[in-house]
Amino acid sequence: MSQFAQEGLADWVAPILAGAVTTLQIAFAAYAIGLLLGLVGAASRLSPWAPLRALATSYSTAVRAVPELLLIILLYYGGSQALTALMNALGVAGKVEISGFVTAVGVLAFVQGAYMTEVFRGAILAIPKGQLEAADAYGFSPMTRFRYITLPGMLPNALPGMSNLWLILIKDTALISVIGFSELFFTVQQAAASSRAYFLFYSVAGLLYLLMTLTSSAAFSRLERYVRRGEPDISAQEA
């Protein structure tokens, strides 16, 4: 590594770490909102009310078919123009701008919710019907049934999909760089362009993303072992 590259890396350590923190903030916020949207979407997909099922199906199908990058650009630029036009129509002067952080969290959460809907729907359908029927027979309220029957029953089947969506989400945060928001990837782009040490800085970015994903994979593996405690070890039986 040349002295120039070393000096450039030293100057950019703090901004790159700040960008990594921002990436995690976006990912955590989008994932949390996506979980809620996924639960609502799954419940709607399994609802006996046909219009609600159709609405949830349209949401999950349409959102999964549109690239996240297009949604980010549409919300950031088109959303700002639409809100400005609406405010002007209401007699309020001024320009409305949607921040990069709000755009990132909003779009990624919206997309995560669509995928979570299908993950949770499949996990709920995997719960033996007898357990849900027994809860109804004992007079459980919908919330009580969800807390004691549905949630513990669906988690073991949902966690692998939830883990994959989290790992994809961390990488998808890089898409927000197209609107100039200073998350990890955009900061690394600036560092590489200013120092011309492209291989060095993009390698650092790759290592940081790898560290995030490996740490997340270990955490989800531990969580899955916890929720599956008491279940027979299928791998040991097959061996």
Side-chain angles (χ1 to χ4, degrees):
M1 186 188 302
S2 66
Q3 182 179 357
F4 179 74
Q6 290 178 345
E7 293 175 354
L9 180 60
D11 293 337
W12 282 95
V13 167
I16 289 174
L17 291 179
V21 171
T22 302
T23 290
L24 289 174
Q25 290 174 338
I26 293 171
F28 277 119
Y31 195 74
I33 298 172
L35 283 175
L36 295 177
L37 291 175
L39 288 172
V40 173
S44 301
R45 286 291 309 270
L46 299 172
S47 170
W49 193 35
L52 191 58
R53 289 200 310 271
L55 180 62
T57 302
S58 300
Y59 161 62
S60 65
T61 302
V63 172
R64 288 183 296 149
V66 180
E68 289 94 329
L69 183 58
L70 176 59
L71 292 174
I72 289 170
I73 295 174
L74 183 63
L75 177 61
Y76 187 71
Y77 295 107
S80 297
Q81 289 181 348
L83 288 176
T84 300
L86 177 62
M87 296 299 291
N88 292 336
L90 295 175
V92 180
K95 183 178 180 182
V96 179
E97 293 186 359
I98 301 176
S99 71
F101 186 85
V102 171
T103 300
V105 172
V107 170
L108 295 178
F110 198 58
V111 174
Q112 282 284 304
Y115 284 99
M116 284 288 185
T117 294
E118 299 305 318
V119 169
F120 290 150
R121 184 180 70 89
I124 292 172
L125 289 175
I127 301 174
K129 276 189 175 182
Q131 296 183 12
L132 301 176
E133 291 172 353
D136 292 335
Y138 277 101
F140 283 18
S141 67
M143 286 303 299
T144 302
R145 189 179 77 163
F146 175 79
R147 179 180 177 184
Y148 292 105
I149 305 297
T150 307
L151 184 61
M154 66 177 277
L155 266 181
N157 297 315
L159 272 175
M162 293 169 62
S163 173
N164 286 335
L165 289 178
W166 167 254
L167 299 182
I168 293 171
L169 176 61
I170 291 177
K171 294 181 290 184
D172 281 350
T173 56
L175 296 173
I176 205 67
S177 63
V178 298
I179 60 173
F181 187 69
S182 297
E183 42 71 59
L184 174 58
F185 191 74
F186 181 77
T187 305
V188 166
Q189 283 181 313
Q190 289 183 311
S194 66
S195 65
R196 299 191 180 277
Y198 296 101
F199 181 79
L200 170 63
F201 282 104
Y202 285 120
S203 296
V204 169
L207 289 174
L208 288 174
Y209 282 116
L210 181 62
L211 178 62
M212 293 178 194
T213 54
L214 289 178
T215 303
S216 300
S217 295
F220 271 101
S221 295
R222 185 170 183 178
L223 180 59
E224 187 174 357
R225 288 196 299 271
Y226 175 77
V227 298
R228 289 188 181 276
R229 65 193 185 283
E231 293 185 2
D233 190 346
I234 298 177
S235 60
Q237 291 178 359
E238 292 177 349

